[in-house]
Amino acid sequence: MKYCPKSCPNFGTDGIAELLKSSTLSYPYSYNFITLQSSNIYFMRILFLAFTLLQVSSLGLKGQESIGFSDSSNFQQLIDYRLPSWGYSQFSINSGGLNVSGQKTNRSNTQGRYDINRETQDQTSSSLSERFSISPSYFRYEESEQRILQLSTSANFTHRFQESNSTTFEEEEEDRDSETRSFDNNFSYAFNANYSRYLSDRIFLNGSLYGNIGYRFGRYKSDNYNNGLQKSNTNRRNISFDPSIGIGFGRIRNVTTVLRAIRLKERYQVVTGQSLSDAEILKTAEQFTKYPAYTQTYDRPEKYFWGDLSSIINNKLDQLGAYDLFYFEDVFDEQLGARFEGAEVLLTVGYRYDNSLQNRDVKVEENRNEMRQFSIQRVADLAIDANIYKNLDLKNQVHIGFRNAGLFPLEKKDNFAWQFRSEIGLSWLYILTDRWNINNTLASSFYTFGPKERLNTGDIKSHDLNTRLISSITYFIENRMGITGSVGLTNDYQYDRQHLINSNVNTTHRFIWNFQLGIVYYFNRNLF
C-alpha cells in the first residue's frame, strides 16, 4: 500500500514512489545551467517577501489560539484504535507560488588509458531558475479494517525560465565561455488509484494504476564556442500509464480522527474541569468520521451531531451552553496533519508504458534543421517498499521509508539490460501550534544500470548518488487557505566510465538550492 501516491509527494517535492517508478530510460541525464548573477540580492528579496506575507496574514486574519495538549505523551489511544468504515475527500488548488533555485556544477572529463596520453577537461557552471505553477487537484481516501482505497487526480500548469553561464578549462588552451537562456510551458494531467484488500489483519493484496498525459512547449537559445549561436523550439507530447499488483505484510492505520477526539477532550477539560475516558475518546473519533452525513441529511446538522455525540459519551454535553459547543466546534478547523501509525512491507510487480512524440526546430547560425522523434518505451519492474510511521507523542510524527526497484526494458532497441534504483528517506512532522505545521525531510537515492552486450560497447560503469534536505512550514490562515514556504538543498554526484580503446571518465558534482513560496486554497474538505 503506497501512502504517498505518485501525484502526492512523500519524500521531497517529487516523492519516493515518483522518483523510482516514473523515470524514463535515458542516461546520462541532460541539464540546463543557469547563472547566479545577482542571486544573493534576489534571494534576500524573496525571503523578505515571504516574511512580510506571513506577518500580514497573521495580523490581519487572526486565528484561534491553541490551548495545547495537557499531556502530549499520552497517545496510547493511537495504538489501540480500530477503524470504522470512514474516509475523507478534498478539492484544492495549489498556486505553487514562486519557486527560485540555483546550482553550481563542477565537471571533469579524463581521456586516455595511460598517463602519457591522458587529457583532462574541466568545466564549471552556475545557474538560476525561476518557476511559477498552478495545480488544481482532487483526493479521496476510504478506509476500513477490510480495505483501503486512495484516488487522486490533478492538472498542472508550470512556466519556467532559466539562464546559465559556464566556463570550460583545458590544458594549454584558452578558457571558453558559454551562455544559455531557455523557457518552457508544461501542461499535464495525472490520475492515480491505489487499492488494498486485507486477507487477514496483517496480510493484504494491493493493486495500483497511475496515468499521465503531458504537453510541453519550450524555447532555447545558446551561444557557445563549439556551435556559435543556436536557437531551437521544442514541442513534446507524452502519454504514460503504470499498473502494478503485489502482496503486503503489516498494517498502517490513519489515526487523524483520534487526535481530533483528544483535542475535544482537552477543550472539554477546560470548560468543565472533567475528562473523557479512553473508550469515550475512541467513540468520539468514530463520530467525527460521520459529520458530513449530518450536513447532507439535516438543515441544522450541528444540533443533531452534538446531540448524538452527547448520547454516545453518556450525555456529558447536555448541560453545556451554545457558546461552549461553538468552542468545541473549532476542533474541526485545527490543522493536525495527516497522522498514521504502524508498519508494512509491500512486494510488487509492475509494467510501465511510455509513448512520446517530439518535434524540434533547430537553427545554428544560418543553418536550419527540423527533427521529429517518436518513441515507445515498455518496462517491467520488480520492487519492494517498506514504510514505518511512529507518533512519538501527539505533536511529533516520524516516517521512515525505503524502496528498491529493478527495471527491465522490454524494447529491443533499448541500450540497457537492467536498471536499479534505491531510495531511503526520513521525514519528521511537527505540529508547532494549531495553525503552524513544520515538515522536515532527509532522503537519499542511488541509481545504476547494466548495458546490453555489444561488441563496441566495451566496459561501461555508471552511477548517480543524490541526497536532499527539505524543510517546509505551513501557516493555515483559516480552514480553507494556507501559506506554505520551503527551503531545499540537494547534493548530486554522477560517475560515468567508458573503457573502450581508451578510457573515458566523466564525473559531475552538482549542488542545488531551492526556495518556494505558495498558497493552497481548499474548495472542499469532507469526512464521510
Side-chain angles (χ1 to χ4, degrees), residues 298-368:
Y298 300 105
D299 292 332
R300 300 170 60 192
E302 290 82 4
K303 170 187 175 182
Y304 295 96
F305 174 82
W306 291 108
D308 290 346
L309 177 59
S310 180
S311 63
I312 291 174
I313 57 175
N314 301 316
N315 301 315
K316 289 188 175 182
L317 306 182
D318 289 354
Q319 303 304 317
L320 301 180
Y323 290 107
D324 293 330
L325 294 180
F326 289 153
Y327 177 62
F328 293 163
E329 195 162 320
D330 285 343
V331 170
F332 287 108
D333 295 337
E334 295 180 348
Q335 307 301 325
L336 304 176
R339 308 296 287 272
F340 300 93
E341 184 76 22
E344 69 176 24
V345 176
L346 176 63
L347 304 175
T348 58
V349 176
Y351 171 83
R352 179 179 175 84
Y353 173 85
D354 188 273
N355 182 311
S356 65
L357 175 64
Q358 178 174 286
N359 292 320
R360 191 179 183 196
D361 184 3
V362 181
K363 183 178 181 182
V364 181
E365 298 296 343
E366 300 300 325
N367 300 318
R368 186 173 181 177

Side-chain angles (χ1 to χ4, degrees), residues 240-437:
S240 63
F241 68 89
D242 183 1
S244 68
I245 57 174
I247 184 170
F249 307 90
R251 183 138 201 170
I252 295 176
R253 290 184 169 88
N254 191 321
V255 294
T256 307
T257 54
V258 180
L259 269 74
R260 294 205 184 278
I262 296 176
R263 292 295 292 144
L264 179 64
K265 182 197 74 169
E266 300 289 343
R267 291 174 179 265
Y268 181 78
Q269 284 180 313
V270 171
V271 173
T272 67
Q274 302 176 9
S275 183
L276 300 178
S277 67
D278 290 350
E280 290 172 334
I281 291 175
L282 296 180
K283 292 179 181 179
T284 301
E286 184 171 350
Q287 177 70 359
F288 279 164
T289 67
K290 303 175 182 178
Y291 180 76
Y294 286 84
T295 63
Q296 298 176 14
T297 306
Y298 300 105
D299 292 332
R300 300 170 60 192
E302 290 82 4
K303 170 187 175 182
Y304 295 96
F305 174 82
W306 291 108
D308 290 346
L309 177 59
S310 180
S311 63
I312 291 174
I313 57 175
N314 301 316
N315 301 315
K316 289 188 175 182
L317 306 182
D318 289 354
Q319 303 304 317
L320 301 180
Y323 290 107
D324 293 330
L325 294 180
F326 289 153
Y327 177 62
F328 293 163
E329 195 162 320
D330 285 343
V331 170
F332 287 108
D333 295 337
E334 295 180 348
Q335 307 301 325
L336 304 176
R339 308 296 287 272
F340 300 93
E341 184 76 22
E344 69 176 24
V345 176
L346 176 63
L347 304 175
T348 58
V349 176
Y351 171 83
R352 179 179 175 84
Y353 173 85
D354 188 273
N355 182 311
S356 65
L357 175 64
Q358 178 174 286
N359 292 320
R360 191 179 183 196
D361 184 3
V362 181
K363 183 178 181 182
V364 181
E365 298 296 343
E366 300 300 325
N367 300 318
R368 186 173 181 177
N369 185 23
E370 294 185 7
M371 295 176 288
R372 178 183 175 93
Q373 182 179 6
F374 175 75
S375 68
I376 292 179
Q377 292 180 333
R378 297 178 301 126
V379 182
D381 69 79
L382 179 64
I384 177 172
D385 297 84
N387 288 282
I388 301 173
Y389 286 89
K390 181 63 179 177
N391 288 271
L392 304 179
D393 53 38
L394 296 175
K395 289 187 175 183
N396 294 274
Q397 177 182 263
V398 175
H399 173 213
I400 302 174
F402 79 86
R403 177 180 176 86
N404 290 326
L407 308 176
F408 306 96
L410 302 178
E411 298 290 335
K412 294 182 178 180
K413 62 182 179 180
D414 282 314
N415 296 323
F416 310 114
W418 54 267
Q419 296 180 88
F420 175 76
R421 296 180 181 274
S422 179
E423 177 150 344
I424 185 170
L426 170 67
S427 65
W428 168 42
L429 172 66
Y430 176 63
I431 309 302
L432 184 62
T433 67
D434 294 344
R435 297 193 176 272
W436 289 89
N437 293 353

